[in-house]
Amino acid sequence: MSPPSALIDHSTEIVELAHKKPVLTGPVQVLNGPTRTVEEIAERWDDFKFSPIRESQVSRAMTRRYFKDLDTYAESDIVIVGAGSCGLSAAYMIGKTRPDLKVAIIEASVSPGGGAWLGGQLFSAMVMRKPADAFLREVGVEYEDEGDFVVVKHAALFTSTLLSKVIQFPNIKLFNATAVEDLITRPSGGGIRIAGVVTNWTLVTMHHDDQSCMDPNTINAPVVISTTGHDGPFGAFSVKRLVSMQQIQKLGGMRGLDMNVAEDAIVKGTREVVPGLIVGGMELSEIDGANRMGPTFGAMALSGVKAAEEALKVFEVRKNENNS
């Protein structure tokens, strides 16, 4: 005799059904059909086929958009040189605060993020001293609280989250694998002001010594934020160029590691160095003779926040100067 229906426990059956994949029949429809889920595609590989395409369509889809971006951002409002943690933090704050401004990010590497994909000595975890945890909460990155500092389980979590948010802003364009070869200048009050950047594809920049006639391109902008890091192949580029332009006498050179001194100095020192050029992050250490801070990243994020703030303070003035 079957038990009364009121006594039958269907909960296990319901749970099992909820986790079962739907049984599908017939060929997979990929042409002009509704959007498919991964579950509908999975385990039906015998019938699988991509939509047809000509190779020229792929080429045109990429080049059409790229050259449209080059045309759109040839006149930008703000250019950010370097897409490391400082540059990306600056871009995020500008994109959030001023969605009306066109922002071009120029990054020499194929992969943006600078040194923020790992912590120190190729370890995974990223350490940020407080109050930089405020920026982690701003962009939605989880962390472990260790009292005076916090730890993100993998530096790549911070960098990928921030990068993803930045490039989703409709007013921001990232040009990676692109190098800044020089700064555009204008006479200003007996000195100069910066009015944009001179660019080239990084592979071209790296081969000027063994090739010829590879002239650059340009982007005009009333404000440039340079965050190229400490001295290196592409590091401290803008401030080294200021020395050769005789706009600053010499570089102070980065000092030895002192976390407590270095991070405060970098954030506080983030500023407009010459009209139109704001410098942030470890590039500042080369001007100011600041200490390095090693594997702690709070100063990079907050220097980016301050760089954005400084850029927006002077933007209208520099824009008017460019238009005069």
Side-chain angles (χ1 to χ4, degrees):
M1 180 178 175
S2 299
S5 58
L7 299 179
I8 299 176
D9 183 4
H10 294 282
S11 59
T12 302
E13 180 182 354
I14 292 171
V15 170
E16 288 176 353
L17 287 173
H19 286 82
K20 285 184 178 179
K21 294 181 180 179
V23 178
L24 304 174
T25 59
V28 176
Q29 298 296 318
V30 296
L31 299 178
N32 302 319
T35 300
R36 295 292 182 180
T37 65
V38 173
E39 287 76 12
E40 289 178 292
I41 296 172
E43 298 184 5
R44 304 182 62 205
W45 302 112
D46 289 342
D47 297 322
F48 177 82
K49 188 176 182 180
F50 279 109
S51 300
I53 198 168
R54 289 182 62 80
E55 290 76 7
S56 60
Q57 288 178 281
V58 176
S59 180
R60 285 171 171 165
M62 294 185 295
T63 57
R64 183 188 305 122
R65 287 164 175 79
Y66 192 87
F67 287 106
K68 180 182 178 182
D69 287 334
L70 285 177
D71 180 72
T72 299
Y73 287 88
E75 282 283 352
S76 292
D77 294 308
I78 296 175
V79 170
I80 298 174
V81 188
S85 47
C86 181
L88 290 174
S89 298
Y92 172 84
M93 296 305 298
I94 295 169
K96 175 185 175 182
T97 308
R98 291 291 302 271
D100 56 311
L101 300 183
K102 285 192 296 183
V103 180
I105 308 173
I106 312 298
E107 167 55 46
S109 176
V110 171
S111 55
W117 289 108
L118 288 166
Q121 198 168 318
L122 307 184
F123 301 139
S124 300
M126 171 181 274
V127 174
M128 282 196 182
R129 293 165 63 202
K130 293 180 178 179
D133 56 321
F135 190 74
L136 295 176
R137 291 190 295 276
E138 168 69 30
V139 295
V141 174
E142 293 184 356
Y143 56 81
E144 299 173 41
D145 195 319
E146 296 282 353
D148 288 332
F149 64 93
V150 300
V151 182
V152 178
K153 69 177 182 179
H154 201 300
L157 177 61
F158 168 75
T159 302
S160 61
T161 300
L162 178 57
L163 177 61
S164 175
K165 288 181 179 293
V166 166
I167 60 179
Q168 286 184 67
F169 283 113
N171 59 319
I172 295 178
K173 171 61 184 177
L174 168 65
F175 294 96
N176 49 322
T178 305
V180 170
E181 292 192 340
D182 207 347
L183 301 171
I184 299 173
T185 65
R186 298 284 187 268
S188 177
I192 64 168
R193 59 184 169 81
I194 305 304
V197 295
V198 179
T199 65
N200 219 325
W201 285 314
T202 302
L203 290 176
V204 174
T205 298
M206 294 171 66
H207 286 278
H208 281 310
D209 290 340
D210 54 56
Q211 298 292 328
S212 62
C213 301
M214 298 190 295
D215 284 335
N217 201 0
T218 58
I219 299 177
N220 284 103
V223 176
V224 174
I225 301 174
S226 190
T227 63
T228 65
H230 55 71
D231 198 5
F234 292 100
F237 172 82
S238 296
V239 298
K240 288 188 287 190
R241 192 70 183 95
L242 291 182
V243 174
S244 61
M245 291 177 180
Q246 300 182 340
Q247 296 306 298
I248 55 178
Q249 185 176 0
K250 64 178 182 178
L251 296 182
M254 184 173 63
R255 302 295 196 264
L257 191 150
D258 186 332
M259 289 183 180
N260 290 297
V261 172
E263 291 209 278
D264 292 351
I266 292 299
V267 175
K268 290 178 179 179
T270 301
R271 65 192 185 277
E272 188 179 43
V273 174
V274 298
L277 179 66
I278 291 159
V279 180
M282 288 309 293
E283 189 167 3
L284 277 169
S285 67
E286 300 292 348
I287 298 182
D288 296 341
N291 295 88
R292 67 188 301 170
M293 73 275 303
T296 176
F297 291 81
M300 297 300 96
L302 295 188
S303 178
V305 172
K306 190 178 181 204
E309 183 180 304
E310 296 296 313
L312 297 180
K313 282 181 184 178
V314 302
F315 174 73
E316 295 299 335
V317 173
R318 303 296 172 232
K319 180 180 178 181
N320 290 336
E321 290 173 343
N322 267 17
N323 293 337
S324 62

